[in-house]
Amino acid sequence: MKKLSFMLLLLASTAYGQGNNYKQNYRKFDNLAMTPPMGWNSWNKFGCNVDEKLIREVADALVATGMKDAGYTYINIDDCWHGDRDSLGFIHPDPKRFPSGMKALADYIHSKGLKLGIYSDAGSQTCGGRPGSRGYEFQDAQTYAKWGIDYLKYDWCNTEGLKAEGAYKTITAAIRKAGRPMVLSICEWGNDKPWVWGPNVGHLWRTTGDVYNCFDCIKDHGSWKSWGVMQILDKQDGLRKYAGPGHWNDPDMLEVGNGMKEGEDRAHFTMWAMIAAPLIAGNDLRKMSEQTKAILMDKDVIAINQDSLGVQAFKYAVKDSVETWIKPLKSGDWAVCFLNRSKSDKPVEFNWATESVTDDLSGKALNAGQTPYVVRNLWTKKETGATNQPLKATVPGHDVLLVRLSPKPGSK
Ligand code: GLA
């Protein structure tokens, strides 16, 4: 008997000694992106045309225009920064476009109190045909950490044979191992339901294909399509329950300032604020019109987006092309948005006293009939009465009316 247990022990210890007993940590770094990330990304405006001069100038502009003070923090370089891998497999930036190297660029960005993001891909090549991270995940994460990268957008082109959940867990484990906290932006376009497996793996996940700078259209590129603002919004249906502090649905980056009409830009920005989307500007910050600045830097609208409760708005009603969206806020306030999807002006009327607004997700109810709220129009900055009066207004085509309800002082 004694002999048998000794043999078993020996066998077990041999197996233990032989096997790789190292356990990966597949959990993301916590306490990052507790509100939707805010920043800028190069892709929507510049595509593959990125270099260190542009990135430095955009960082300068982000500070000079007041965007930084408004909360925008990340400067994210998207696809095409890459040069080649060296003989040991280490990735280097394109030496012509980034002659000073990424570490110097990160130092510059950090010296301005900002954070630097970079882009890679789970497959063999990025969507722009640059080297992907497949097979180099740990080495790349180590390189990014050494450079001082704070945010990684990880794309999904050329991933034949890979499963998304496993591929993203691998890069999470690699970031963990590298030891530098980085926000991980999962970019597999919502193909494999990242909202289900993503919350422990990344901090935000794309829910759709790429956004296109039109309000209401589909752009057909032949083998793939990109989507207007309204199309992207419709694709968020059913997803709000998956988002919250540290893990956000990502309906793609902003197209504000990239060619839509002012009201359309305002509606786009407002809806992204309402659904607690990451606010990643995608325009040329060096050349912004006053209108674009006013939209991107509206403190009241940003506050709706950054509200610490982290609950996305829900679509409460649809009537004659006008959608009513409602977002509960931490303080007991509510944001209410009337989105006019048609091209023509539409009247809206909302009787606070008779509408019964409850949100099962947050467990909150808006008893505006009993509790009087002050109603403030966030874009015009005007108080428009209180909830004891029905709200009556006209919303221009492709635009919004956005109000914030705050309990009247002295009321319960
Ligand atoms: C994909 C992503 C975009 C962008 C490009 C870069 O299409 O969804 O956001 O990163 O790749 O090539």
Side-chain angles (χ1 to χ4, degrees):
M1 186 61 190
K2 248 189 187 164
K3 202 168 171 193
L4 183 68
S5 357
F6 175 73
M7 288 296 286
L8 281 173
L9 194 72
L10 193 71
L11 265 172
S13 65
T14 322
Y16 182 81
Q18 276 175 356
N20 177 0
N21 200 41
Y22 178 69
K23 286 231 169 45
Q24 300 291 359
N25 184 352
Y26 294 102
R27 221 195 129 84
K28 69 182 183 186
F29 275 103
D30 282 320
N31 296 317
L32 292 174
M34 297 310 281
T35 59
M38 293 177 67
W40 174 88
N41 173 295
S42 53
W43 183 254
N44 282 357
K45 178 73 186 177
F46 299 97
C48 268
N49 223 346
V50 286
D51 58 31
E52 64 181 41
K53 182 166 173 285
L54 171 75
I55 301 302
R56 281 170 179 253
E57 286 178 7
V58 167
D60 293 347
L62 191 120
V63 176
T65 53
M67 292 276 287
K68 181 188 169 204
D69 289 341
Y72 295 85
T73 307
Y74 291 97
I75 297 280
N76 294 346
I77 312 172
D78 208 276
D79 205 349
C80 303
W81 58 266
H82 318 67
D84 293 327
R85 293 191 184 280
D86 63 24
S87 59
L88 296 174
F90 290 102
I91 188 75
H92 295 271
D94 181 329
K96 289 208 189 74
R97 292 176 176 271
F98 294 86
S100 316
M102 283 298 174
K103 173 81 174 69
L105 190 54
D107 288 347
Y108 184 75
I109 301 290
H110 292 152
S111 76
K112 307 210 133 228
L114 302 172
K115 293 180 188 293
L116 184 62
I118 210 162
Y119 161 100
S120 189
D121 187 289
S124 52
Q125 292 196 333
T126 70
C127 300
R130 307 306 197 267
S133 288
R134 186 170 187 172
Y136 295 91
E137 294 88 350
F138 283 73
Q139 203 174 354
D140 284 356
Q142 219 178 56
T143 302
Y144 304 153
K146 222 168 67 192
W147 288 343
I149 299 296
D150 306 294
Y151 184 117
L152 174 65
K153 174 174 168 183
Y154 204 57
D155 214 340
W156 192 242
C157 279
N158 306 300
T159 49
E160 290 70 25
L162 285 179
K163 287 278 284 173
E165 180 175 354
Y168 283 93
K169 278 186 172 160
T170 303
I171 198 66
T172 302
I175 294 170
R176 270 268 169 202
K177 191 86 201 301
R180 184 178 171 89
M182 287 177 216
V183 170
L184 178 63
S185 155
I186 296 170
C187 180
E188 57 81 87
W189 318 308
N191 289 358
D192 220 9
K193 296 198 169 75
W195 41 87
V196 174
W197 48 263
N200 291 332
V201 180
H203 302 88
L204 58 158
W205 49 82
R206 282 274 295 278
T207 52
T208 69
D210 290 5
V211 68
Y212 188 69
N213 64 333
C214 73
F215 193 71
D216 193 0
C217 79
I218 297 170
K219 172 80 178 164
D220 196 340
H221 303 268
S223 60
W224 61 289
K225 293 186 173 100
S226 51
W227 310 94
V229 169
M230 288 300 103
Q231 282 67 28
I232 297 245
L233 185 63
D234 289 342
K235 288 172 186 286
Q236 309 309 310
D237 209 27
L239 298 184
R240 73 186 283 261
K241 65 175 182 225
Y242 297 103
H247 51 98
W248 306 101
N249 287 314
D250 173 9
D252 207 1
M253 302 170 293
L254 295 166
E255 290 283 14
V256 174
N258 280 344
M260 283 187 284
K261 295 196 175 117
E262 185 189 353
E264 295 176 335
D265 271 354
R266 185 167 37 243
H268 171 28
F269 191 72
T270 304
M271 289 316 302
W272 263 228
M274 288 293 284
I275 61 172
L279 296 181
I280 308 291
N283 58 317
D284 188 346
L285 302 187
R286 301 166 306 176
K287 299 176 190 159
M288 282 193 281
S289 70
E290 289 308 312
Q291 287 167 356
T292 297
K293 283 187 198 166
I295 292 171
L296 286 175
M297 288 191 267
D298 189 286
K299 295 225 159 70
D300 293 322
V301 181
I302 291 173
I304 300 295
N305 174 263
Q306 293 288 300
D307 185 75
S308 62
L309 190 61
V311 173
Q312 285 187 214
F314 56 95
K315 200 193 292 179
Y316 173 74
V318 184
K319 200 177 145 205
D320 188 20
S321 302
V322 178
E323 295 179 357
T324 306
W325 289 75
I326 301 186
K327 183 181 199 286
L329 303 172
K330 175 82 181 169
S331 58
D333 287 13
W334 294 77
V336 181
C337 176
F338 301 92
L339 166 68
N340 181 357
R341 296 178 66 136
S342 82
K343 285 189 173 159
S344 48
D345 297 1
K346 294 282 175 188
V348 292
E349 182 164 350
F350 197 84
N351 189 347
W352 307 105
T354 54
E355 299 285 348
S356 156
V357 178
T358 51
D359 176 24
D360 290 345
L361 186 64
S362 64
K364 289 181 184 267
L366 169 63
N367 292 316
Q370 289 137 14
T371 314
Y373 288 80
V374 174
V375 181
R376 185 159 177 264
N377 182 324
L378 293 191
W379 286 112
T380 63
K381 312 295 175 201
K382 287 193 183 120
E383 258 186 38
T384 59
T387 50
N388 54 0
Q389 298 277 318
L391 180 143
K392 284 187 191 164
T394 301
V395 186
H398 286 192
D399 206 335
V400 285
L401 168 66
L402 174 64
V403 296
R404 182 173 178 137
L405 271 49
S406 314
K408 255 193 161 165
S411 67
K412 275 197 190 154

